[in-house]
Amino acid sequence: MCGDRVNTMSLPHALLGLLAEQPASGYELAKLFDLSLANVWPAKHSQIYPALAKLSTSGFVVASEEGPRGRKEYTITDDGRAELERWLVEEPSEHAVRHDDLLRAFFLWTLGADGAVAHFEREAADANDVGQQFTQLYRDVDWDDSDAALYAAIVLEQGRRWSAMRAEWSLWAVEQINAHRTAKTLTGRLPDSAFDPPAE
Amino acid sequence: MCGDRVNTMSLPHALLGLLAEQPASGYELAKLFDLSLANVWPAKHSQIYPALAKLSTSGFVVASEEGPRGRKEYTITDDGRAELERWLVEEPSEHAVRHDDLLRAFFLWTLGADGAVAHFEREAADANDVGQQFTQLYRDVDWDDSDAALYAAIVLEQGRRWSAMRAEWSLWAVEQINAHRTAKTLTGRLPDSAFDPPAE
DNA sequence: ATGATCATGTAAACTGTTACATGATTGT
DNA sequence: ACAATCATGTAACAGTTTACATGATCAT
C-alpha cells in the first residue's frame, strides 16, 4: 500500500524476518532475539517495541486487538514480505563490522611478547569454549524439518567455524610472535606462510 | 595525573593505540583509520576530533602548539600509555558483533532454495574477492621490522582466514540446501557433518 | 588562478543501551 | 501472599554517520 522502504539499518528487517515465519508479540520477538539472534543481531525490548510501532504505521505489519495482558500480536503483511525480500536481494550487505578483539590485537605489541602471547593463548581457549557452546546449542535445539530451521543451522555452523578459525589463528599468532622474538634480530622478516592464496 | 578511566567503548583506546607508536594530528589519525583500521574499527574525522579533545582534557594525550594549517600534534602521555595497557589487559572483549550478512542468511529461506543458492554463490565469490584484496594489501604494505608491523600483519591474516572461512562456508551452505531440497521429503534430517567438534 | 590536499571543527539525525516505570496473570 | 513471568512502554544517555562549514597551503 505505502511503499515506505525502510532504510539501511537492519532491525526492522530482522523483525519482518521473524514475523515471516509466524505472528508474534513484541515480548515474544524480544525472546527470539535472545535465543536465536543474540550472536548475530542483538536487540532489546526497548528498541523492539518502537520499531514494531513504526513498521505498523508503515503498513508492513498489522497489530491484533489487545489480548490478555495488553498483549498485541503482530502479523506480517504482503507489503512486509515484499520489503523483506527486497532487502534480502537488493540491499548490499556491509560486512564491515566492529571487532574490538581485533582492535586489541592490533595494539598488543605495547604489552611486550610475553603479554601478547598470554593474551592470544587466552583467546584460543576462549574461542574453543565458544565453539563448544555452539556445538552444544546445536544439540540442544529441537530442530524441525522447516526451511527456517535449516537456515538457522547454517548460521550456527558459521559460528562454529568462526570459533575454530579464531582458535587456530590465535595459536598461529603465538607461533609468529615467538618466531619474531628470536628471528627479528637475525632476519627481521614477517611471516610468508600467512599469505598463501586462499584455496578456491 | 588524573585517573579518569575511559569507559567501555573503544574509540579513545584506538586513538591511544595509534599514538603509542608515534605522535600524530587528528587528520593523520583519520587517515590511519581508513588505511589500517577500516575493517576493524572504522571512524570518521568528525568523531576523532572531539575524542582527541576529550583525551586531552583527561590528560591521556597532550597537544602541541598549532602548526602550519592550524595543525595540532597529539602525543600520548604516561597516563595515556597506562590507560591503554589497562584496557588491553583488564577490559573484557565483547566479541558480540553485528553480522548483517548472517542476519540475511537467517531469513534466506523466504527466497526459496534457488534464490538462497544464488545468494550463497555470490557470497562465496565475494568472500574470495575480499580475501584476494587482503592478500594484495599484505604485498603492497611496506612492512618494517617493528613489533607494530608484526601485529598489523597478524590482524590482516585474520581477515584473510575469515574470508577463506566465509567462502568455504557459503559453498557448504549451497550443498546443504541442495541436499535438503531432495532429502527433506525422504529423511527430513539436518546435516550431521556440520557439527563435528572443532579440532583442538 | 585554480584545484587538490591539508586541516579542523560543529550540528543534526539515527541507532542502540541502560535505567525507569507500570501493571496483569500464573503458579506455589 | 508472594514471586516469577508476561507484557508494554518511555527517557536519558552514548556512540556513529552524514552533512554543513571554514580556511590555509601547495603544485601546476
Side-chain angles (χ1 to χ4, degrees):
Chain A
M1 199 151 287
C2 40
D4 251 3
R5 175 166 302 207
V6 181
N7 52 3
T8 48
M9 89 296 199
S10 311
L11 175 69
H13 297 109
L15 292 168
L16 289 176
L18 291 173
L19 291 173
E21 244 187 299
Q22 52 187 291
S25 67
Y27 187 82
E28 286 161 351
L29 289 166
K31 288 221 154 169
L32 281 171
F33 268 89
D34 278 353
L35 275 174
S36 52
L37 292 175
N39 297 297
V40 174
W41 202 272
K44 318 277 180 185
H45 75 271
S46 56
Q47 211 185 345
I48 291 169
Y49 288 119
L52 282 170
K54 212 183 164 197
L55 283 173
S56 187
T57 60
S58 298
F60 295 133
V61 300
V62 282
S64 69
E65 293 303 292
E66 294 202 358
R69 271 157 285 203
R71 182 174 185 276
K72 273 179 275 184
E73 195 171 67
Y74 291 90
T75 307
I76 193 168
T77 63
D78 288 343
D79 271 9
R81 280 181 200 278
E83 169 59 25
L84 174 63
E85 281 168 37
R86 188 198 65 75
W87 174 73
L88 284 170
V89 175
E90 286 178 30
E91 215 73 62
S93 62
E94 20 142 10
H95 31 69
V97 272
R98 287 191 153 73
H99 298 273
D100 72 328
D101 51 336
L102 277 182
L103 186 63
R104 241 167 263 266
F106 205 87
F107 300 128
L108 226 48
W109 59 270
T110 59
L111 295 183
D114 289 341
V117 163
H119 176 92
F120 277 121
E121 278 169 352
R122 252 181 289 119
E123 276 279 295
D126 178 64
N128 276 324
D129 282 356
V130 173
Q132 289 299 323
Q133 277 166 248
F134 284 145
T135 304
Q136 194 54 50
L137 184 58
Y138 177 75
R139 294 204 192 97
D140 291 348
V141 170
D142 182 27
W143 303 103
D144 57 39
D145 289 354
S146 69
D147 288 335
L150 173 66
Y151 288 82
I154 287 172
V155 168
L156 192 47
E157 169 69 4
Q158 205 203 65
R160 204 195 58 70
R161 287 180 185 225
W162 178 69
S163 299
M165 183 272 276
R166 207 157 64 91
E168 284 163 29
W169 169 77
S170 297
L171 296 180
W172 174 87
V174 168
E175 280 171 42
Q176 297 303 319
I177 294 165
N178 284 331
H180 189 75
R181 210 196 287 249
T182 52
K184 183 168 55 171
T185 50
L186 298 175
T187 68
R189 283 193 307 119
L190 280 162
D192 310 312
S193 60
F195 289 90
D196 296 334
E200 293 290 306
Chain B
M1 198 145 287
C2 41
D4 250 5
R5 176 165 300 204
V6 182
N7 52 4
T8 49
M9 87 296 199
S10 309
L11 175 69
H13 297 109
L15 291 167
L16 289 175
L18 291 173
L19 291 173
E21 244 188 298
Q22 52 187 293
S25 67
Y27 186 82
E28 286 161 351
L29 289 165
K31 287 221 155 170
L32 281 171
F33 268 89
D34 278 354
L35 275 173
S36 52
L37 292 174
N39 296 296
V40 175
W41 201 272
K44 317 277 180 186
H45 75 271
S46 56
Q47 211 186 345
I48 290 169
Y49 288 120
L52 282 170
K54 211 184 165 195
L55 284 172
S56 187
T57 60
S58 299
F60 295 134
V61 300
V62 283
S64 69
E65 294 303 292
E66 294 203 358
R69 272 158 284 202
R71 182 176 185 276
K72 273 179 276 185
E73 194 171 67
Y74 291 90
T75 307
I76 193 168
T77 62
D78 287 343
D79 271 10
R81 280 181 201 279
E83 169 60 23
L84 174 62
E85 281 168 37
R86 187 198 65 75
W87 173 72
L88 284 170
V89 175
E90 284 178 31
E91 215 73 64
S93 63
E94 20 141 9
H95 31 69
V97 272
R98 286 192 154 72
H99 298 274
D100 72 328
D101 51 336
L102 277 182
L103 187 63
R104 241 166 263 267
F106 204 87
F107 300 127
L108 227 48
W109 59 270
T110 58
L111 295 184
D114 288 341
V117 163
H119 176 92
F120 276 121
E121 278 170 352
R122 253 181 288 120
E123 275 279 295
D126 178 63
N128 275 325
D129 282 355
V130 173
Q132 289 300 324
Q133 276 167 246
F134 283 145
T135 305
Q136 195 55 50
L137 183 59
Y138 177 76
R139 294 205 192 97
D140 291 347
V141 171
D142 182 27
W143 302 103
D144 58 39
D145 290 353
S146 69
D147 288 334
L150 173 65
Y151 289 82
I154 287 172
V155 168
L156 192 47
E157 168 69 4
Q158 205 204 64
R160 202 194 59 70
R161 287 180 186 227
W162 179 70
S163 300
M165 183 273 276
R166 207 157 65 89
E168 284 162 30
W169 169 77
S170 297
L171 296 181
W172 174 87
V174 169
E175 281 171 41
Q176 296 304 318
I177 294 165
N178 283 331
H180 190 76
R181 211 196 286 249
T182 51
K184 184 168 54 169
T185 50
L186 297 175
T187 68
R189 283 193 309 119
L190 279 162
D192 309 311
S193 59
F195 289 89
D196 296 333
E200 294 289 302

